[in-house]
Amino acid sequence: MSRKILPLNRALKKYTEVEMVAEHRFHPFREWRFDYAIPELKIALEVEGGIWNAGRHVRPDGFRRDMEKYNEAAALGWLLIRVIPNELLSVNTLQLLIRAINVRKGQTNVK
């Protein structure tokens, strides 16, 4: 686990008893990996870097490859949350993850 994500992972464990893993390979035959994932609930967190400096994620070929990866993940039942680097450790990201975890666990009274 990346040291950068440790505070977020500690908060998730505190509020949901669930932890994320880094660099989770999710596809049966492609080498695709999620930046972070909760495999048992099929929840993934992708950090989309380079949006301010024309990085790979926003160039046409990189954007298309990301779409292919994300569509395959959806077809396999994954719920994907996308954030930019400065949102990774935010309260909003923590709240999104907690809501997604609660929904996956079947809790329907989620706000």
Side-chain angles (χ1 to χ4, degrees), residues 6-103:
L6 284 176
L8 181 60
N9 215 23
R10 278 196 294 268
L12 276 179
K13 178 105 172 146
K14 177 181 177 181
Y15 294 112
T16 67
E17 300 180 356
V18 171
E19 291 184 88
M20 290 187 294
V21 297
E23 295 296 321
H24 176 72
R25 184 173 171 202
F26 71 92
H27 199 271
F29 58 88
R30 299 288 298 261
E31 293 293 323
W32 287 321
R33 296 178 188 276
F34 291 128
D35 294 330
Y36 303 99
I38 304 167
E40 66 271 20
L41 297 175
K42 286 194 167 185
I43 298 171
L45 178 65
E46 285 281 282
V47 183
E48 305 290 356
I51 63 169
W52 309 116
N53 61 2
R56 185 195 74 76
H57 293 290
V58 296
R59 286 186 231 135
D61 193 51
F63 189 83
R64 184 195 57 75
R65 285 194 311 252
D66 282 348
M67 284 179 50
E68 179 185 11
K69 174 183 171 180
Y70 299 155
N71 287 338
E72 284 289 331
L76 292 171
W78 282 88
L79 186 154
L80 177 64
I81 295 171
R82 299 170 63 195
V83 299
I84 58 176
N86 66 343
E87 294 175 340
L88 178 60
L89 301 180
S90 71
V91 171
N92 186 55
T93 298
L94 175 61
Q95 290 172 336
L96 282 169
L97 286 166
I98 290 170
R99 287 191 351 241
I101 290 165
N102 288 339
V103 166

